[in-house]
Amino acid sequence: MIMEQNEIKACGTASYADMQLAARAGVDAAGIIWHPGEQRGATVGSSYAIALSESAPEDLDVVLLPRVTDELSISAMCRRMRPDRLQLGEKEDLKLLKALRSMLDIPIAQVIHVGTDEAAVEQAERFLYFADIIHIDTAGDRPGGTGQTHDLSISKEIVKLAHDAGKPAIIAGGLTAEYVVEAINTTKPDGVDVQTYIKDGFGHHDPGKLNLFVQTARTAFSAMRSMEQAA
């Protein structure tokens, strides 16, 4: 299975405590942001990323988010870490995606950054064939974790494109326990991804916020499925 139906992903998992909290909260996937040799904030170095991945329960998918754009480094890390999924989000680089598609046998999610126009829709069309999952986030001065929202009507178009191509789509970008309901109801995604909202003042997962987010997202997904079945 490429990903869980109605997946909830907690990104920026940067400690053993974060991993345990994610597991207890009932998330489906934990995102580990990796940069070789770096341990800063939500980004971890190679050795720690591998150790964190090994500490994850079997029913919790591990997603590797590299902060490098060299296919050899990324593929080597995937072989060492053995994540369940790779997420490419530094930039929309079709050459990199194609190279890794031919080198790896794990699902690859491609992040599409949504700005103020519909350029993201065109980007999604270009990447759909090679990506297993389309991951929608907000454009900004960082590749992710900005805590900023974007135009959900554009995200809705991208989700539809992905579904028409038989691919799942995940939405991220400024999601909170309140906003995730609107995001799910508007875009009808296959999963949601959260980072900024669930962090405490020290950059670790906040158990209260994480639990609330998971409960709210689960309820919203359940309501969405009920409406689809009734239609």
Side-chain angles (χ1 to χ4, degrees):
M1 183 182 294
I2 292 177
M3 59 175 279
E4 293 294 327
Q5 182 183 25
N6 304 146
E7 178 183 276
I8 298 174
K9 173 171 166 273
C11 201
T13 302
S15 69
Y16 295 114
D18 283 352
M19 188 67 76
Q20 292 168 2
L21 284 171
R24 287 200 297 268
V27 304
D28 302 296
I32 298 176
I33 305 171
W34 161 71
H35 190 286
E38 184 172 331
Q39 178 71 43
R40 179 172 56 85
T43 303
V44 300
S46 300
S47 297
Y48 199 33
I50 293 169
L52 279 177
S53 179
E54 291 173 346
S55 76
E58 287 187 7
D59 60 349
L60 181 63
D61 284 350
V62 173
V63 183
L64 174 64
L65 290 78
R67 286 292 179 253
V68 295
T69 56
D70 170 60
E71 64 265 27
L72 295 179
S73 297
I74 295 172
S75 62
M77 184 59 175
C78 285
R79 292 187 177 92
R80 292 178 62 198
M81 182 176 164
R82 299 179 182 274
D84 296 289
R85 180 163 93 226
L86 175 65
Q87 180 177 316
L88 299 177
E90 280 296 290
K91 58 182 178 178
E92 286 86 343
D93 187 336
L94 189 56
K95 181 180 178 181
L96 176 64
L97 174 60
K98 288 180 178 180
L100 288 166
R101 176 74 288 152
S102 66
M103 298 167 76
L104 300 171
D105 60 358
I106 59 174
I108 301 177
Q110 173 65 52
V111 176
I112 302 297
H113 297 93
V114 176
T116 56
D117 56 30
E118 300 227 348
V121 179
E122 297 176 6
Q123 287 275 37
E125 289 178 325
R126 294 176 59 231
F127 285 86
L128 266 173
Y129 181 79
F130 296 96
D132 298 293
I133 301 166
I134 294 297
H135 191 291
I136 306 161
D137 205 346
T138 305
D141 56 0
R142 290 184 293 168
T146 65
Q148 301 298 310
T149 61
H150 56 263
D151 188 340
L152 290 178
S153 67
I154 298 176
S155 294
K156 182 178 180 179
E157 287 187 60
I158 297 173
V159 171
K160 186 177 185 306
L161 273 177
H163 288 172
D164 288 347
K167 305 288 180 76
I170 298 173
I171 188 164
L175 298 185
T176 65
E178 297 78 21
Y179 185 58
V180 71
V181 177
E182 179 182 351
I184 290 173
N185 290 341
T186 302
T187 66
K188 304 295 190 293
D190 302 279
V192 293
D193 184 26
V194 63
Q195 179 178 336
T196 304
Y197 170 75
I198 60 170
K199 292 297 186 181
D200 61 20
F202 301 98
H204 298 295
H205 290 349
D206 180 292
K209 290 181 178 180
L210 180 56
N211 285 325
L212 179 60
F213 183 89
V214 171
Q215 292 167 9
T216 307
R218 289 273 181 241
T219 300
F221 273 131
S222 179
M224 180 187 78
R225 288 195 302 270
S226 295
M227 291 181 64
E228 289 173 347
Q229 292 168 0

